Amino acid sequence: MSIRSSDIDAVDMVILPPVRDLGDGFSVRRALPSAHRRMVGPFIFFDQMGEATFDSGEGLDVRPHPHIGLATVTYLLEGEILHRDSVGSVQSIRPGEVNWMTAGSGIVHSERTSDENRAKGGKLFGLQTWVALPTRHEETDPGFSHHKAAEIPMIEDAGTRLTLIAGRSDGLVSPVRTFSDMVYADIALLDGARYQVKAEHVERAIYVVAGAIEVVGQTGGFATGELVVFKPGAEIILRAKGGARLMLMGGEPLPEKRNIYWNFVSSSADRIEQAKADWQAQRFAKVPDESEFIPLPA
């Protein structure tokens, strides 16, 4: 993980996440948390998954593992993932759809390639983020919601398409239930198209999924794989250089520090220790029809 400087006044920092090989031809870029920036608004974790290509008989196999104190948001650009969890959800997620899983007091889930897709192989490319829950909601009951692509609001104008995954922005409100002020959006720009990053949220960042962008009126730009964190209140107009795909994230920062260990997030360090002990003793609820699990890391 590294950062690079920027000549653009509106930019706080640019994070260059490393590529991590998880084996079997599958890699991720983890932009958050980093040594330089732990959170953007309520977002405490940001992974780009793939782009991976699976041959026939291959696929994703993330065994059951636990979460507390957060919500996971899974959003695919290509491919399909089969989600199972300990509240009984079994759901395939496809491009443009939104999986929002509230961990709260504790949930366990697995993420796999279905038997049908494993037989034929294919590509997988997407994003998974974690949203830390406000203190009053950290121990809420676990739950799961899935939203079809047609339910997610979208606007198009002058070569710019914005899909609002969660939160509010640009006059849109996502149907995905959230627990704090936030924005999470998928923005596609044709060559030369512009998008103004609104200042309505205190903290804001963009992750460049593909292509390159520049800030109008400034020198320099940003390329694929970079997380660009903006200064609060700054006026920013982005312009695509040859076409680009971006993820916009941000919101009101949480007032309390968040502790993070493995898949556990909490405002209380003691609560993290309890979750570790509970997972080691297998006191979390089980995922139906799953016998495997990921052990607690040393």
Side-chain angles (χ1 to χ4, degrees):
M1 181 74 66
S2 62
I3 61 172
R4 71 171 176 85
S5 60
S6 172
D7 297 328
I8 299 173
D9 295 337
V11 172
D12 185 32
M13 67 176 62
V14 182
I15 298 174
L16 309 171
V19 177
R20 301 185 181 190
D21 185 359
L22 302 184
D24 297 324
F26 190 73
S27 63
V28 300
R29 291 180 185 266
R30 183 156 300 163
L32 291 176
S34 82
H36 312 285
R37 182 88 186 204
R38 290 180 62 81
M39 300 178 69
V40 176
F43 290 87
I44 196 167
F45 178 98
F46 186 99
D47 257 10
Q48 174 187 308
M49 304 180 293
E51 183 174 357
T53 301
F54 297 116
D55 292 332
S56 175
E58 298 178 339
L60 181 70
D61 278 303
V62 180
R63 293 167 292 162
H65 57 281
H67 293 282
I68 66 164
L70 56 86
T72 67
V73 189
T74 306
Y75 184 78
L76 297 183
L77 306 178
E78 193 169 4
E80 184 175 341
I81 291 176
L82 180 62
H83 163 99
R84 292 188 177 96
D85 63 41
S86 54
V87 298
S89 311
V90 179
Q91 179 65 58
S92 293
I93 179 170
R94 300 176 180 89
E97 301 176 346
V98 179
N99 267 18
W100 177 286
M101 185 183 74
T102 302
S105 60
I107 199 168
V108 180
H109 75 136
S110 66
E111 296 157 298
R112 300 185 184 270
T113 299
S114 68
D115 291 341
E116 178 184 358
N117 285 308
R118 191 181 301 270
K120 61 187 179 183
K123 292 186 177 181
L124 181 62
F125 188 26
L127 298 306
Q128 188 173 90
T129 59
W130 298 353
V131 178
L133 299 178
T135 303
R136 67 185 182 278
H137 294 300
E138 284 185 301
E139 297 299 322
T140 194
D141 291 339
F144 175 82
S145 65
H146 178 79
H147 298 266
K148 296 290 189 182
E151 301 173 49
I152 307 303
M154 183 265 289
I155 53 173
E156 290 188 86
D157 181 52
T160 298
R161 184 185 73 236
L162 181 143
T163 304
L164 186 64
I165 299 167
R168 59 182 176 83
S169 186
D170 295 81
L172 302 177
V173 178
S174 170
V176 177
R177 184 198 173 199
T178 60
F179 293 84
S180 64
D181 172 72
M182 62 175 287
V183 57
Y184 188 35
D186 172 7
I187 302 173
L189 302 167
L190 298 179
D191 182 24
R194 301 185 180 201
Y195 173 72
Q196 182 178 7
V197 181
K198 311 302 183 294
E200 58 189 313
H201 299 285
V202 176
E203 295 186 348
R204 301 158 296 160
I206 58 160
Y207 179 79
V208 185
V209 176
I213 59 164
E214 61 185 3
V215 175
V216 174
Q218 302 285 328
T219 59
F222 310 102
T224 301
E226 294 188 331
L227 177 69
V228 185
V229 183
F230 299 113
K231 294 176 181 176
E235 292 293 333
I236 303 144
I237 298 176
L238 304 175
R239 179 169 55 210
K241 300 165 66 177
R245 187 86 175 262
L246 319 171
M247 304 304 294
L248 169 67
M249 74 183 87
E252 182 78 23
L254 301 178
E256 311 87 2
K257 174 189 172 183
R258 285 301 181 274
N259 302 282
I260 181 169
Y261 173 85
W262 192 37
N263 302 314
F264 304 137
V265 170
S266 179
S267 59
S268 165
D270 290 342
R271 181 67 181 92
I272 296 280
E273 292 302 313
Q274 181 62 57
K276 290 163 65 175
D278 288 343
W279 184 244
Q280 284 184 309
Q282 288 295 288
R283 288 190 287 263
F284 277 79
K286 301 294 191 293
V287 178
D289 300 320
E290 290 270 19
S291 59
E292 299 179 300
F293 67 93
I294 300 177
L296 186 77

